[in-house]
Amino acid sequence: MAYSKSRQSMRFPEGVVRATKMQGVNNSPKETVTLVDILEAASLDQALLSSFLLDEEWLLGHFGHNTPITLVTNPRNNSDSANNADAKHAAPVQSKSGRLTWVHPELPKPVYQIMHSKIMVLFYRHYMRFVVSTANLIPDDWSVMQNAVFLQDFPMDRATVFPANGFSLSLAYALHDLSVPFDIVALLNNVDFSAARVRIVTTVPTGGMRQNMNMSSYGMERLSSIVAETFGKDKDKDKAAASNQPDPSNFQPNARLFCVGSSLGRMDTKWLRDFYLCAHGLDLEKLSLSFREQLAPDDTIDIGVGFHTHEDMEKCRYGEKCKAYIMLNSDVYENEKEFPRSSLCRVVPRVSDSLVHAKLVVARFGVEQRKGWVYVGSHNFTPAAWGRLRIGHVTYFNNYEFGVVLPDTQYTRITPEEITVSWDSRNIPLPFKLIWQPYARDDVPFFSK
């Protein structure tokens, strides 16, 4: 009986992507959501949320007074733990009322490493809502910055233990990596994840115990295994094996990637090549640097790095406040000789004269580029988020990140400058137009101070 009720009450049983509603503009009710829409606080039993930035007073105003809430944050985001800001790892901290629990994941190098994941796991009486967001839990990210959200509801019956699958195991491992208390992770046993079709990709900082305990890979290596699995599912074993051990004479790079984020860091062509090969589903651990260069010479790396220009910032309808959320150090762009300036592209927001804070990778394959995959989550297009393969095939990761890959996306050209993206026949409302517009000679990226 409870199981049938769960299906009746779920709003997002199949999984959807939504843009966040913007202040002062006409928002499509079918394609946008607010935090209030997502939480449905009146019927919420328990909530787990994570965020890089957090406005605690604003956030708590969205919940009922008695709802148990667990917040996964950086130590410096919690006033009760300010004295532990330099600690590598801190035990969960509970508020005096017992309503709030703060969780701080292990940071082996806390001066540099961060918790950047943005997820929500929301428990209701008959279902669980899984949310992956590109927005922090602060007002501006839900009103003046364009962000994206993936949501899916799954049936829940606390009297039933459902069989585990790849999605539920990945989610459990990811929550464990974030040091989420076991009693919350255990609730996943009572959730039916059989309808899950997205794949989870996470990152965990290098140097701690977590990285060696759970998922076989993180970051771009995890992305590689997802792409190999989803795009190789119809191939026989010999062909699948060949795809992981490619012959340079036969391998043809055929992906075009548009990678958008709110932050850029140090990168070079070698890193772009590694990401590009992973986007095809290749296992980099088996490939030497020279072999990778043969597979994808510099002139075949088809990646557009979408990042806002100084002009975009000056035209932003929401004013100076937006400057705090777009990050690029001028030294990285001006002084790093190998920074791939020629890969930079303009970001054309759906809402004119606004800024995109969303982190997405849009991959299109083949001559006609009608099929591919889309990533939505917290990963900016940086080595800190996706990882950098070092000498000896050891990958360095700096951040905690969390996202999902939507496989088998479809692309339809409506006009010469307009392409729609769909997944399982449902539209993906990208917060930007899928337009390949390289920087002009006088374009300069916005530099954060």
Side-chain angles (χ1 to χ4, degrees), residues 43-63:
S43 57
L44 181 61
D45 290 340
Q46 184 175 354
L48 166 71
L49 306 97
S50 70
S51 184
F52 173 58
L53 300 176
L54 173 66
D55 184 326
E56 185 180 316
E57 182 178 359
W58 171 82
L59 176 64
L60 295 184
H62 290 77
F63 292 90

Side-chain angles (χ1 to χ4, degrees), residues 17-283:
V17 176
R18 293 286 184 263
T20 53
K21 286 189 176 179
M22 300 288 286
Q23 175 183 303
V25 302
N26 292 324
N27 294 282
S28 168
K30 293 183 178 180
E31 296 187 340
T32 58
V33 292
T34 65
L35 186 57
V36 172
D37 296 331
I38 293 172
L39 295 176
E40 295 190 272
S43 57
L44 181 61
D45 290 340
Q46 184 175 354
L48 166 71
L49 306 97
S50 70
S51 184
F52 173 58
L53 300 176
L54 173 66
D55 184 326
E56 185 180 316
E57 182 178 359
W58 171 82
L59 176 64
L60 295 184
H62 290 77
F63 292 90
H65 294 297
N66 298 317
T67 306
I69 303 169
T70 300
L71 298 174
V72 183
T73 70
N74 288 289
R76 56 184 173 273
N77 288 338
N78 171 21
S79 58
D80 286 6
S81 301
N83 294 330
N84 294 325
D86 294 327
K88 290 186 176 181
H89 186 248
V93 178
Q94 202 165 49
S95 64
K96 294 179 181 179
S97 66
R99 176 195 179 197
L100 295 178
T101 300
W102 286 276
V103 174
H104 308 308
E106 177 189 20
L107 294 175
K109 299 177 181 178
V111 175
Y112 308 106
Q113 297 171 335
I114 59 172
M115 200 301 299
H116 197 250
S117 301
K118 301 167 179 65
I119 63 169
M120 305 179 204
V121 181
L122 309 173
F123 297 98
Y124 303 85
R125 185 176 181 183
H126 297 302
Y127 65 96
M128 187 206 88
R129 178 163 294 164
F130 170 70
V131 183
V132 176
S133 173
T134 69
N136 289 293
L137 295 173
I138 58 175
D140 288 344
D141 272 16
W142 294 87
S143 59
V144 302
M145 303 296 292
Q146 291 193 64
N147 278 288
V149 181
F150 173 83
L151 312 93
Q152 185 165 5
D153 295 340
F154 298 100
M156 183 173 185
D157 184 349
R158 296 175 189 257
T160 303
V161 175
F162 292 95
N165 61 16
F167 179 87
S168 65
L169 292 174
S170 294
L171 179 57
Y173 290 149
L175 297 184
H176 180 66
D177 284 341
L178 290 170
S179 302
V180 172
F182 178 76
D183 60 336
I184 296 178
V185 179
L187 290 175
L188 302 182
N189 291 320
N190 306 123
V191 181
D192 179 4
F193 291 108
S194 60
R197 289 199 58 243
V198 296
R199 304 294 195 275
I200 293 174
V201 54
T202 65
T203 296
V204 171
T206 297
M209 295 179 60
R210 300 292 184 193
Q211 194 181 37
N212 300 319
M213 292 173 64
N214 299 316
M215 297 168 69
S216 59
S217 62
Y218 297 91
M220 69 166 70
E221 293 176 86
R222 169 64 176 164
L223 174 65
S224 170
S225 65
I226 292 171
V227 176
E229 173 192 347
T230 55
F231 278 82
K233 61 187 178 183
D234 295 327
K235 299 178 181 179
D236 58 43
K237 291 183 179 180
D238 290 338
K239 290 182 179 180
S243 70
N244 287 324
Q245 293 284 356
D247 181 345
S249 63
N250 294 330
F251 176 72
Q252 295 292 330
N254 66 349
R256 165 163 279 199
L257 309 182
F258 191 48
C259 309
V260 176
S262 60
S263 177
L264 284 182
R266 286 181 169 84
M267 64 175 73
D268 52 28
T269 303
K270 293 179 182 178
W271 186 79
L272 290 183
R273 176 182 295 106
D274 286 349
F275 191 92
Y276 190 61
L277 292 174
C278 284
H280 285 80
L282 303 189
D283 185 355

Side-chain angles (χ1 to χ4, degrees), residues 331-349:
D331 288 343
V332 171
Y333 180 80
E334 295 173 347
N335 299 329
E336 295 285 337
K337 294 182 179 179
E338 297 185 3
F339 187 89
R341 296 171 184 81
S342 61
S343 296
L344 291 178
C345 289
R346 298 290 296 257
V347 179
V348 183

Side-chain angles (χ1 to χ4, degrees), residues 407-420:
D408 301 323
T409 51
Q410 306 290 321
Y411 301 89
T412 304
R413 185 173 293 279
I414 304 301
T415 69
E417 293 188 350
E418 185 72 10
I419 298 174
T420 62

Side-chain angles (χ1 to χ4, degrees), residues 296-360:
D298 292 0
D299 60 356
T300 67
I301 302 173
D302 199 356
I303 296 180
V305 181
F307 195 76
H308 281 296
T309 64
H310 178 77
E311 180 186 4
D312 294 337
M313 188 65 68
E314 293 302 312
K315 293 169 60 178
C316 181
R317 67 173 70 202
Y318 299 108
E320 291 289 313
K321 66 171 65 178
C322 297
K323 292 183 177 180
Y325 308 116
I326 305 297
M327 308 296 294
L328 172 60
N329 190 314
S330 59
D331 288 343
V332 171
Y333 180 80
E334 295 173 347
N335 299 329
E336 295 285 337
K337 294 182 179 179
E338 297 185 3
F339 187 89
R341 296 171 184 81
S342 61
S343 296
L344 291 178
C345 289
R346 298 290 296 257
V347 179
V348 183
R350 287 287 176 187
V351 177
S352 62
D353 297 334
S354 67
L355 299 179
V356 174
H357 183 264
K359 302 101 173 68
L360 293 104

